[in-house]
Amino acid sequence: MIFLGLLVKSRIFVMPSDLRIRIKVDARAAIARMNAMERRSKDFRPVFRWAKRELEKANAANFAQNGLPVGGWSPLKPRYSAWKATKFPGAPIMVASGKLFKELRSLNGPANSIRLKSATFGTDLEYAKFHQYGTSKMPKRKIIYEPKQFAERLAILAADYVSDGRTR
């Protein structure tokens, strides 16, 4: 019989004068699995690498869909739109030089880090906060967000990873 990695063998011996039960437990597999779980619980980098890829995809989709995943971005004001059309012809609403888009699509900038038990993703471009929160002259256009079900999927992946090493 195998239960949670424990191998249990039992035998019942009936002797004329007494009854004996011998139980032998082989816990080596269970101990090995628990040791592996303990090692994985100290290093969540594989889980955070998954999170990074998911956020990169979400950020790219947010830009490609003009902020639709976050409720849509307000259109540009006519005067600024005309200026932008001459300086950055054909550029989408939140793209001028492309630096902000590239940084959020790749999450490789200095604001991003993956450590053993924590990760940080985003951008440190100074002007990003003006888009994210808006100003008195510019509406907010959310560029950084947590996709729907992301936290739940991350928690399930983290549990699967600690339990048996799966990261997909």
Side-chain angles (χ1 to χ4, degrees), residues 45-65:
R45 289 177 297 181
V47 175
F48 296 142
R49 285 191 286 270
W50 172 89
K52 179 182 183 235
R53 288 189 303 272
E54 290 299 305
L55 291 172
E56 288 169 342
K57 288 189 273 186
N59 289 341
N62 197 31
F63 275 80
Q65 298 170 26

Side-chain angles (χ1 to χ4, degrees), residues 76-93 95-96:
L76 299 176
K77 292 179 181 175
R79 186 171 163 194
Y80 178 74
S81 182
W83 175 86
K84 184 178 177 184
T86 61
K87 297 289 184 184
F88 305 99
I93 190 168
V95 178

Side-chain angles (χ1 to χ4, degrees), residues 8 129 135 139:
V8 179
K129 63 186 172 192
T135 69

Side-chain angles (χ1 to χ4, degrees), residues 108-122:
N108 287 327
N112 300 279
S113 67
I114 294 177
R115 294 189 173 85
L116 294 175
K117 290 190 175 186
S118 67
T120 304
F121 303 111

Side-chain angles (χ1 to χ4, degrees), residues 103-148:
E103 212 170 278
L104 291 175
R105 185 192 63 210
S106 70
L107 294 176
N108 287 327
N112 300 279
S113 67
I114 294 177
R115 294 189 173 85
L116 294 175
K117 290 190 175 186
S118 67
T120 304
F121 303 111
T123 181
D124 62 354
L125 292 175
E126 182 64 26
Y127 58 89
K129 63 186 172 192
F130 302 122
H131 293 296
Q132 183 77 10
Y133 302 111
T135 69
S136 60
K137 296 182 180 186
M138 180 173 61
K140 86 174 178 178
R141 295 181 178 100
K142 204 169 183 182
I143 53 174
I144 297 173
Y145 73 103
E146 180 182 309
K148 289 181 182 178

